[in-house]
Coordinates of all heavy atoms in Angstrom, one line a residue:
H12 N -5.2 -8.1 -7.6 CA -4.9 -8.7 -8.8 C -4.1 -7.9 -9.8 O -3.3 -8.3 -10.6 CB -6.2 -9.1 -9.6 CG -6.9 -8.1 -10.4 ND1 -7.7 -7.1 -9.8 CD2 -6.8 -7.8 -11.6 CE1 -8.1 -6.2 -10.7 NE2 -7.5 -6.6 -11.9
A13 N -4.3 -6.5 -9.7 CA -3.6 -5.6 -10.5 C -2.2 -5.2 -9.9 O -1.3 -4.9 -10.6 CB -4.4 -4.3 -10.7
I14 N -2.1 -5.3 -8.5 CA -0.9 -4.9 -7.8 C 0.1 -6.0 -7.9 O 1.4 -5.8 -8.0 CB -1.2 -4.6 -6.4 CG1 -2.2 -3.4 -6.2 CG2 0.1 -4.3 -5.6 CD1 -2.6 -3.2 -4.8
G15 N -0.3 -7.2 -7.8 CA 0.5 -8.4 -7.9 C 0.9 -8.9 -6.5 O 1.6 -9.9 -6.3
F16 N 0.4 -8.2 -5.5 CA 0.7 -8.6 -4.0 C -0.7 -8.6 -3.3 O -1.4 -7.6 -3.5 CB 1.7 -7.8 -3.4 CG 3.1 -7.8 -4.1 CD1 3.5 -6.8 -4.9 CD2 3.9 -8.9 -3.9 CE1 4.7 -6.7 -5.5 CE2 5.2 -8.9 -4.6 CZ 5.5 -7.9 -5.4
T17 N -0.9 -9.4 -2.3 CA -2.0 -9.4 -1.5 C -1.7 -9.0 -0.1 O -0.6 -9.1 0.4 CB -2.6 -10.8 -1.5 OG1 -1.7 -11.7 -0.9 CG2 -3.1 -11.3 -2.8
K18 N -2.8 -8.4 0.6 CA -2.7 -8.1 2.1 C -2.5 -9.4 2.7 O -3.0 -10.5 2.4 CB -3.9 -7.4 2.5 CG -4.3 -6.2 1.9 CD -5.7 -5.7 2.4 CE -6.8 -6.6 1.8 NZ -8.2 -6.1 2.3
P19 N -1.6 -9.5 3.7 CA -1.0 -8.4 4.5 C 0.4 -8.0 4.0 O 1.1 -7.3 4.7 CB -0.9 -9.0 5.9 CG -0.7 -10.4 5.7 CD -1.5 -10.8 4.4
D20 N 0.8 -8.5 2.8 CA 2.1 -8.2 2.3 C 2.4 -6.6 2.3 O 1.5 -5.9 1.7 CB 2.3 -8.7 0.9 CG 3.7 -8.7 0.3 OD1 4.4 -7.7 0.5 OD2 4.1 -9.7 -0.3
V21 N 3.4 -6.2 2.9 CA 3.7 -4.8 3.0 C 3.8 -4.1 1.6 O 3.4 -2.9 1.4 CB 4.9 -4.5 3.8 CG1 6.2 -4.9 3.0 CG2 5.1 -3.1 4.2
R22 N 4.1 -4.9 0.6 CA 4.2 -4.3 -0.8 C 2.9 -3.9 -1.3 O 2.8 -3.0 -2.2 CB 4.9 -5.4 -1.7 CG 6.4 -5.5 -1.4 CD 7.0 -6.7 -2.1 NE 6.5 -7.9 -1.6 CZ 6.9 -9.1 -2.0 NH1 7.9 -9.2 -3.0 NH2 6.4 -10.2 -1.6
A23 N 1.8 -4.6 -0.9 CA 0.5 -4.2 -1.3 C 0.1 -2.8 -0.8 O -0.4 -1.9 -1.5 CB -0.6 -5.2 -1.0
F24 N 0.4 -2.6 0.5 CA 0.2 -1.3 1.2 C 1.1 -0.2 0.6 O 0.6 1.0 0.4 CB 0.3 -1.4 2.7 CG -0.7 -2.3 3.3 CD1 -0.5 -3.6 3.5 CD2 -2.0 -1.8 3.6 CE1 -1.5 -4.4 4.1 CE2 -2.9 -2.6 4.1 CZ -2.7 -3.9 4.4
R25 N 2.4 -0.5 0.3 CA 3.3 0.5 -0.2 C 2.8 0.9 -1.6 O 2.9 2.1 -1.9 CB 4.7 -0.2 -0.3 CG 5.7 0.7 -1.0 CD 5.8 2.1 -0.5 NE 6.3 2.2 0.9 CZ 6.2 3.3 1.6 NH1 5.8 4.4 1.1 NH2 6.7 3.3 2.8
H26 N 2.2 0.1 -2.3 CA 1.7 0.5 -3.7 C 0.6 1.5 -3.5 O 0.6 2.5 -4.3 CB 1.1 -0.8 -4.4 CG 0.4 -0.5 -5.7 ND1 1.1 -0.6 -6.9 CD2 -0.8 0.0 -6.0 CE1 0.3 -0.2 -7.8 NE2 -0.9 0.1 -7.3
V27 N -0.2 1.3 -2.5 CA -1.3 2.3 -2.3 C -0.8 3.6 -1.9 O -1.2 4.7 -2.3 CB -2.3 1.7 -1.2 CG1 -3.3 2.8 -0.8 CG2 -3.0 0.6 -1.8
L28 N 0.2 3.6 -1.0 CA 0.7 4.9 -0.4 C 1.4 5.6 -1.6 O 1.3 6.8 -1.7 CB 1.8 4.5 0.6 CG 1.3 4.0 2.0 CD1 2.3 3.7 2.9 CD2 0.2 5.0 2.6
D29 N 2.2 4.9 -2.4 CA 2.9 5.5 -3.5 C 1.9 6.2 -4.5 O 2.0 7.3 -5.0 CB 3.8 4.6 -4.2 CG 5.0 4.2 -3.4 OD1 5.3 4.9 -2.4 OD2 5.7 3.2 -3.7
A30 N 0.8 5.4 -4.8 CA -0.2 5.9 -5.7 C -0.9 7.2 -5.2 O -1.3 8.1 -6.0 CB -1.2 4.8 -6.0
L31 N -1.1 7.2 -4.0 CA -1.8 8.3 -3.3 C -0.9 9.4 -2.9 O -1.4 10.5 -2.5 CB -2.8 7.8 -2.1 CG -3.8 6.8 -2.5 CD1 -4.5 6.3 -1.1 CD2 -4.8 7.4 -3.4
G32 N 0.3 9.2 -2.9 CA 1.3 10.2 -2.5 C 1.2 10.5 -1.0 O 1.4 11.6 -0.5
L33 N 1.1 9.4 -0.2 CA 0.9 9.5 1.3 C 2.0 8.7 2.0 O 2.6 7.8 1.4 CB -0.4 9.0 1.7 CG -1.7 9.8 1.2 CD1 -2.9 9.0 1.4 CD2 -1.7 11.2 1.8
E34 N 2.2 9.0 3.3 CA 3.1 8.2 4.1 C 2.2 7.4 5.1 O 1.0 7.8 5.4 CB 4.0 9.1 4.9 CG 5.0 9.9 4.0 CD 5.9 8.9 3.3 OE1 6.2 7.8 3.7 OE2 6.3 9.3 2.1
G35 N 2.7 6.3 5.6 CA 2.0 5.4 6.4 C 1.3 6.1 7.6 O 0.0 5.9 7.8
P36 N 1.9 6.9 8.4 CA 1.3 7.6 9.5 C 0.0 8.5 9.1 O -0.7 9.0 10.0 CB 2.4 8.4 10.1 CG 3.6 7.6 9.8 CD 3.4 7.2 8.4
E37 N -0.1 8.8 7.9 CA -1.1 9.7 7.4 C -2.5 8.9 7.1 O -3.4 9.5 6.8 CB -0.7 10.5 6.2 CG 0.4 11.4 6.4 CD 0.8 12.1 5.1 OE1 1.1 11.4 4.1 OE2 1.0 13.3 5.1
V38 N -2.3 7.6 7.2 CA -3.4 6.7 6.8 C -4.0 5.9 7.9 O -3.3 5.2 8.7 CB -3.0 5.8 5.6 CG1 -4.1 4.9 5.1 CG2 -2.4 6.6 4.5
F39 N -5.4 5.8 7.9 CA -6.1 4.9 8.8 C -6.6 3.8 7.9 O -7.3 4.0 6.9 CB -7.3 5.6 9.4 CG -8.1 4.9 10.4 CD1 -8.0 5.1 11.8 CD2 -9.0 4.0 10.0 CE1 -8.8 4.5 12.7 CE2 -9.8 3.2 10.8 CZ -9.7 3.5 12.2

């Protein structure tokens, strides 16, 4: 609701990665 995109939209996951300062392969 705060991001503006829902899973499985890649933009929701990109928001998380950017906020945490991580790249996809670093996340489970």
Side-chain angles (χ1 to χ4, degrees):
H12 84 277
I14 298 171
F16 301 104
T17 58
K18 298 174 294 182
D20 193 315
V21 70
R22 291 170 290 186
F24 293 98
R25 172 52 65 190
H26 176 93
V27 171
L28 293 178
D29 290 346
L31 297 177
L33 296 168
E34 296 298 327
E37 297 176 309
V38 179
F39 181 107

